[in-house]
Amino acid sequence: MLAVQSEWMPSARQVSWAKIRIAAVAIAAFAILSVLVYLLGAGTLFEEKSTLLLYVPDATGLSAGSLVRANGVDVGKVKSISLSGSAQPDRVVKLALTVEREYLGAIPADAFAQINSDTAIGDRFVDIDTTQSKSPTPVMENSELAFKPQQDLLKTLDIQQFADQLRSVASLLDDLEQGRNAAGQLLVSDELYVGIRRELGDFKRQIEKVASKTNPVGSMLYTDQFYRQIRQPLVELDQRLADLQAGHGQLAELLTDNAKFAQLRSDLVSIRRPIENFGKSSFLASDEQFKDWSRGLVALIQGVDSFNRTPVMSSSEFYDNLNGFATELRERVKEFRQDPRKFLRIGRL
């Protein structure tokens, strides 16, 4: 029995290694616990902190560990809450705030604090407001922050304006109930619905009328007449181009036959030459011919003006004499035609 028991008893070396393993596991667990505590503390566990004091009339909703924020940024926590012993109503409760030292320089000396909450039923926190501060000096450690209570909603609310809004809402609801507006008519009667339905029916009938086969638009939708009207000129143009490409017609022969093209070109050149020769004539190329024509036209105009200034053209006496002579001659001819023997008798005499 003693021999068997000696086989199961650990040696001194094994006991030493077991102690070393236990110590290593304990050290690793402590290190892991330290890292978790550091991370859960947002990495601020070993950072230096400063203390600020705040006196408030009531600390309802606050506790040790409540957040301290500056313009929405978490900068610390409430360290302790106690009675100050002051007789002033707004300094009954004393709050000790721990603030990270790196944020202390960003809080001006004239900054104020309020008790605030994210929601109506959310946890309350100390809110430090620096947006209205004007002091360039940062707050000192162990100094006191000014407290500014939240404004009472009933004091800031314009009761008369609120009552006017309530009356306008009540009037709107009355109009809805009695059908004095479009929405009310839709709720209390079907007149507006019937009118809308009637207008939609008229619109539908107009669409059907336009889309009917007897309408030009409808015929375009349901028949191929409009398509054929467009297609026919395109087909004719395509046929003409095909004939032109195949060499049918005078134009195609002109384009494909070099001899005819050369003949047309020579005709054009023969027409161009007389034009060029006329352009090179002395009448167009020289001013002397133009001056001769101009002098001839001036002489003709002067001759016409001289003839107009003669007594024959400027006086009516010559015209009257000619008119009288023509009248007398007409009478003599008339008499001669009526009685020619009268003139013959006069001739015998």
Side-chain angles (χ1 to χ4, degrees):
M1 292 293 295
L2 293 174
V4 174
Q5 291 179 356
S6 62
E7 292 179 358
W8 290 98
M9 290 182 62
S11 63
R13 186 177 180 181
Q14 292 176 345
V15 172
S16 299
W17 277 110
K19 291 180 179 180
I20 292 173
R21 288 196 299 269
I22 292 172
V25 172
I27 293 172
F30 180 76
I32 294 173
L33 180 63
S34 300
V35 172
L36 290 176
V37 171
Y38 177 78
L39 294 176
L40 292 175
T44 63
L45 182 62
F46 303 105
E47 294 184 1
E48 295 184 359
K49 297 178 176 59
S50 301
T51 301
L52 297 177
L53 300 178
L54 178 65
Y55 292 90
V56 297
D58 186 6
T60 303
L62 291 176
S63 61
S66 297
L67 292 176
V68 177
R69 294 179 180 175
N71 299 329
V73 179
D74 295 343
V75 296
K77 294 182 179 181
V78 177
K79 182 180 180 181
S80 62
I81 302 175
S82 61
L83 295 175
S84 64
S86 174
Q88 299 180 11
D90 55 347
R91 297 175 65 87
V92 175
V93 180
K94 177 183 177 182
L95 302 179
L97 312 177
T98 56
V99 178
E100 305 295 335
R101 182 158 296 183
E102 62 173 327
Y103 296 119
L104 197 65
I107 302 175
D110 59 346
F112 63 87
Q114 294 178 327
I115 307 300
N116 210 339
S117 62
D118 292 329
T119 61
I121 59 175
D123 296 334
R124 308 196 75 183
F125 60 89
V126 178
D127 189 11
I128 301 175
D129 191 349
T130 63
T131 57
Q132 302 181 17
S133 302
K134 298 181 180 179
S135 175
T137 305
V139 67
M140 302 299 293
E141 187 176 359
N142 295 322
S143 61
E144 180 183 344
L145 289 174
F147 177 72
K148 185 177 181 181
Q150 294 281 358
Q151 294 182 352
D152 192 357
L153 180 62
L154 294 177
K155 293 181 180 179
T156 58
L157 183 64
D158 190 347
I159 302 300
Q160 184 62 37
Q161 183 179 4
F162 183 68
D164 294 339
Q165 293 178 357
L166 288 179
R167 281 194 292 269
S168 64
V169 172
S171 178
L172 178 60
L173 292 177
D174 291 339
D175 293 340
L176 288 175
E177 292 179 355
Q178 299 178 11
R180 288 196 291 262
N181 52 25
Q185 293 177 4
L186 185 61
L187 293 175
V188 301
S189 67
D190 60 348
E191 182 178 357
L192 182 62
Y193 168 76
V194 172
I196 295 175
R197 191 169 180 273
R198 186 186 306 111
E199 292 179 359
L200 291 176
D202 294 340
F203 179 73
K204 180 182 178 182
R205 284 189 291 273
Q206 292 293 332
I207 294 296
E208 292 176 351
K209 181 179 179 181
V210 171
S212 63
K213 295 182 179 180
T214 58
N215 190 278
V217 178
S219 62
M220 291 170 56
L221 296 176
Y222 293 103
T223 64
D224 60 346
Q225 180 180 0
F226 183 72
Y227 167 75
R228 284 187 281 102
Q229 290 178 356
I230 297 178
R231 183 177 179 274
Q232 186 63 30
L234 296 178
V235 171
E236 294 178 357
L237 177 62
D238 182 71
Q239 184 63 36
R240 291 180 181 179
L241 292 176
D243 294 340
L244 183 64
Q245 187 176 4
H248 302 304
Q250 295 181 356
L251 181 59
E253 294 177 357
L254 181 64
L255 295 177
T256 56
D257 191 353
N258 294 329
K260 291 186 177 181
F261 177 77
Q263 181 65 31
L264 177 62
R265 186 173 181 274
S266 62
D267 294 340
L268 294 175
V269 170
S270 62
I271 295 174
R272 179 182 176 185
R273 286 174 181 173
I275 296 175
E276 291 178 352
N277 295 331
F278 180 73
K280 295 178 182 179
S281 62
S282 60
F283 179 75
L284 297 178
S286 176
D287 294 339
E288 188 65 28
Q289 188 73 19
F290 174 76
K291 291 179 181 179
D292 293 341
W293 277 75
S294 179
R295 285 193 293 268
L297 291 175
V298 171
L300 179 61
I301 293 172
Q302 291 176 353
V304 173
D305 291 339
S306 300
F307 178 74
N308 289 332
R309 288 193 296 270
T310 57
V312 176
M313 300 301 295
S314 61
S315 177
S316 62
E317 182 178 357
F318 181 71
Y319 172 76
D320 294 338
N321 293 332
L322 288 177
N323 190 21
F325 176 74
T327 303
E328 184 177 357
L329 180 61
R330 184 182 61 186
E331 294 293 333
R332 293 299 181 184
V333 171
K334 184 178 180 180
E335 292 178 359
F336 178 75
R337 292 180 62 187
Q338 293 177 354
D339 190 7
R341 291 177 298 177
K342 177 181 180 181
F343 292 91
L344 293 175
R345 192 170 47 249
I346 294 174
R348 285 194 298 268
L349 291 174

